[in-house]
Amino acid sequence: MRRGEIREALEQEILTGGFAPGERLDEQALGRRFGVSRTPVREALHQLVATGLVELQPNRGAFVREVSLGELVQMFEVMAELEGMTGRLAARRTEEAQLAGLKAALHACERAARAGDPDAYYEENGLFHEAIYDLCGNEFLAGEARRLHRRLKAYRRLQLRVPKRVEQSLAEHRRIVAAIAAGDTNGAETELRNHITIQGERFGDFVATFPMRNAAE
């Protein structure tokens, strides 16, 4: 089993409650479970540290990080503003000839949605947002957006498990592309901000998928 596969398996177990917040993740035990040495397990855990799902405690090892629902919502609020800015700049600065990559990313999302594969859609969704970062023309903003995107990536996977969310997300992607292609700066900013923000019914749906110990905090 590869490092990426181990990371994804651990990520899913953490998000679905297989590992409790605060629980220690023993490298040796996980190595035996996955049939690998401790090295790929350690590398996978370090990747999960970068996403905020795991924390390393000196002389104690790796533990599932306890994240409150309030903290997570605050991160999504900041992410929504950063994404909105990338959309506004992309709409202002992108020429028609530069839209091929973004349109290709949208088509890949459409294929994954038609296949009914939320995990494939999750991967293509990440590439779709990367295409927007590439078009915004601001490397500092793109870097900050990528950093927070990585931090929230696992939770965004969880969002896509909500019934009909993939279809809603795809419709939002189409409106985002249309706004950027039209040079509609306000529209692109608003569409991207709303695409990320957890509010209304989406907030309730997200709370329902969130690990119960954290939801109660």
Side-chain angles (χ1 to χ4, degrees):
M1 180 174 277
R2 297 179 179 177
R3 175 185 61 190
E5 294 173 322
I6 296 171
R7 178 190 58 77
E8 288 194 7
L10 293 175
E11 178 182 281
Q12 283 300 292
E13 285 201 58
I14 291 170
L15 289 173
T16 56
F19 290 109
E23 183 174 345
R24 184 171 181 269
L25 300 169
D26 183 81
E27 292 179 6
Q28 192 167 2
L30 291 171
R32 289 195 298 268
R33 172 185 162 184
F34 291 116
V36 298
S37 69
R38 294 175 65 177
T39 298
V41 172
R42 185 178 299 115
E43 292 173 345
L45 290 174
H46 277 280
Q47 289 182 340
L48 291 173
V49 169
T51 68
L53 287 178
V54 171
E55 62 180 349
L56 296 177
Q57 298 183 11
N59 303 317
R60 297 192 63 206
F63 292 80
V64 177
R65 185 169 179 266
E66 299 187 59
V67 180
S68 71
L69 183 59
E71 180 184 358
L72 194 58
V73 169
Q74 289 174 9
M75 286 192 285
F76 269 104
E77 286 178 341
V78 174
M79 185 76 233
E81 294 301 319
L82 292 177
E83 291 266 347
M85 290 174 66
T86 64
R88 184 179 76 244
L89 292 177
R92 191 170 79 200
R93 297 172 173 174
T94 302
E95 302 292 336
E96 178 65 30
Q98 299 172 300
L99 289 171
L102 180 59
K103 290 180 178 179
L106 173 61
H107 294 329
C109 289
E110 290 172 335
R111 288 193 295 272
R114 284 196 301 270
D117 187 342
D119 288 328
Y121 186 88
Y122 161 80
E123 296 297 335
E124 299 300 346
N125 175 70
L127 296 175
F128 176 83
H129 286 271
E130 282 287 336
I132 296 172
Y133 303 158
D134 289 341
L135 292 174
C136 80
N138 185 314
E139 286 301 317
F140 179 79
L141 172 61
E144 292 300 298
R146 287 187 177 100
R147 182 184 62 79
L148 193 50
H149 186 104
R150 287 193 296 270
R151 181 79 183 273
L152 290 171
K153 195 172 182 182
Y155 297 100
R156 295 183 74 178
R157 182 199 288 267
L158 201 59
Q159 279 185 298
L160 293 173
R161 298 298 175 86
V162 172
K164 298 184 179 179
R165 178 55 195 151
V166 168
E167 291 83 354
Q168 293 169 350
S169 174
L170 181 58
E172 292 162 8
H173 282 191
R174 288 171 175 150
R175 293 197 296 270
I176 290 164
V177 172
I180 292 174
D184 180 359
T185 56
N186 290 334
E189 181 174 22
T190 299
E191 290 292 349
L192 266 160
R193 185 188 296 121
N194 292 342
H195 179 60
I196 300 299
T197 301
I198 303 175
Q199 58 188 358
E201 291 182 358
R202 283 173 58 184
F203 180 78
D205 291 338
F206 183 71
V207 170
T209 67
F210 199 69
M212 289 304 294
R213 178 172 172 181
N214 288 330
E217 291 178 357

